[in-house]
Amino acid sequence: MRAVALGGGHGLHATLSALRRLTPDVTAVVTVADDGGSSGRLRRELGLLPPGDLRQALAALAGEGDENSLWATVFQHRFGGTGALAGHAVGNLVLAALVEILHDPVAALAEAARLLGVSGRVLPMCTDPLDIEADVVGLDSDPAAVRRIRGQVAIATTPGQVRRIRLQGVGGTVPKACEAAVQAVLEADVVLLGPGSWFTSVLPHLLVPELHEALIDTTASRILVLNLVPQPGETAGFSPERHLDVLCEHAPRLRVDAVIADADSVSTPDRLRHAAEALGARLRLDAIATAGARERHDPAALAESLRGALAV
């Protein structure tokens, strides 16, 4: 089974950890709009793709042998102290070096995957860094006034409520998808979208024209995995069904085969079922949260839910 997962950060890590329990043929398609932390520093200083989410995906798919496990640990190691390296993850620096040497982020990720014993692939959503711009309300005395803010970190931490996002490529151009990512979606048997930061990790994939069309045209089963809790700032106050409504607003032509949500996180299942049906999807409510950490998906439980959704 050829599986493709789209997203970024910890949400994509959970999805990849679940998928690898079902198939060795997993491709991660990762958002490239991060402008904070180590990734943001490397992006600004070197003009490269922000490597943090790409590194996380590589670590999630790393081989299980001792050597691969060691390299995965090294990639995730973050320097302390107060010097120039403080806050940088080793894997971010390795990826930045590989891109500078090979002049191709896809080739650089393939080399890193070989080092980590990755079964599958990690691909960027686009081969150039992107900027996210959002329309936000609730930042002024007039609660209906819309303010435009820019940057992933600013959007993810806004005290207002995000209404809509847009993507821009280098110099304000229309984002151009990574060709290998588009092909992976078209050739997949199953495509997963979510969980993750809804406006900054999940929805951006739908705003890259070639990737958007591939998600519509693919014959793969399309499965949407919802978050367990609203994200402070970005989706504060959002119900599970509101997440689906927002997705519909950004990609009205997209149809989904299944929506997976945690049974204990859904207070109004009938409303969520109705919202899922509006996308053409059937709803699965399963216990998929990690015990003792309700904001995180349990990879083994999520794998079983995916198995049920796919009947494999």
Side-chain angles (χ1 to χ4, degrees):
M1 182 176 68
R2 294 165 296 185
V4 175
L6 300 92
H10 295 293
L12 181 60
H13 192 287
T15 303
L16 296 174
S17 298
L19 277 176
R20 65 182 297 175
R21 289 167 162 82
L22 304 180
T23 175
D25 193 346
V26 179
T27 297
V29 177
V30 185
T31 185
V32 288
D34 193 3
D35 60 356
S38 169
S39 288
R41 289 163 60 189
L42 291 170
R43 173 179 175 170
R44 289 188 295 274
E45 292 171 13
L46 302 177
L48 303 175
L49 288 179
D53 286 348
L54 297 163
R55 183 198 82 247
Q56 290 267 36
L58 286 166
L61 294 174
E64 295 180 348
D66 290 343
E67 182 178 351
N68 300 140
S69 178
L70 174 60
W71 274 112
T73 301
V74 170
F75 256 56
Q76 295 288 65
H77 176 74
R78 199 175 291 274
F79 291 106
T82 57
L85 288 177
H88 277 305
V90 173
N92 289 359
L93 300 176
V94 172
L95 287 173
L98 283 169
V99 172
E100 285 205 334
I101 292 167
L102 298 174
H103 308 291
D104 181 351
V106 174
L109 286 162
E111 283 300 313
R114 185 176 62 82
L115 180 66
L116 294 170
V118 167
S119 177
R121 288 186 299 171
V122 174
L123 298 170
M125 180 172 71
C126 301
T127 53
D128 292 310
L130 301 176
D131 286 315
I132 305 179
E133 187 177 79
D135 293 334
V136 181
V137 297
L139 297 177
D140 299 285
S141 55
D142 178 0
V146 178
R147 187 182 297 185
R148 188 167 292 180
I149 62 175
R150 188 180 181 91
Q152 179 170 317
V153 172
I155 294 168
T157 58
T158 179
Q161 189 168 83
V162 180
R163 292 299 192 202
R164 194 168 190 89
I165 62 165
R166 291 169 293 277
L167 284 186
Q168 291 184 351
V170 176
T173 58
V174 175
K176 182 172 177 55
C178 169
E179 292 181 6
V182 171
Q183 200 61 33
V185 170
L186 290 173
E187 295 175 354
D189 297 307
V190 57
V191 175
L192 267 66
L193 190 62
S197 300
W198 213 243
F199 286 102
T200 54
S201 291
V202 178
L203 295 183
H205 292 83
L206 305 176
L207 303 182
V208 179
E210 301 97 332
L211 200 52
H212 177 99
E213 292 303 314
L215 285 165
I216 291 171
D217 293 341
T218 185
T219 58
S221 296
R222 287 161 292 209
I223 299 178
L224 184 66
V225 182
L226 289 179
N227 293 335
L228 300 168
V229 295
Q231 182 177 349
E234 194 164 316
T235 55
F238 273 34
S239 64
E241 54 269 21
R242 177 59 183 153
H243 287 74
L244 299 191
D245 293 342
V246 167
L247 185 142
C248 251
E249 291 166 7
H250 285 79
R253 294 166 53 216
L254 181 66
R255 288 295 171 264
V256 179
D257 296 287
V259 172
I260 293 176
D262 179 62
D264 292 335
S265 302
V266 178
S267 58
T268 54
D270 288 341
R271 291 183 186 175
L272 181 57
R273 185 170 290 104
H274 180 73
E277 289 171 353
L279 286 169
R282 61 190 182 280
L283 175 64
R284 282 191 65 90
L285 294 175
D286 295 315
I288 54 175
T290 299
R294 296 292 309 166
E295 74 284 358
R296 294 184 180 180
H297 289 81
D298 178 89
L302 181 56
E304 285 306 307
S305 184
L306 290 169
R307 192 188 302 278
L310 294 166
V312 297

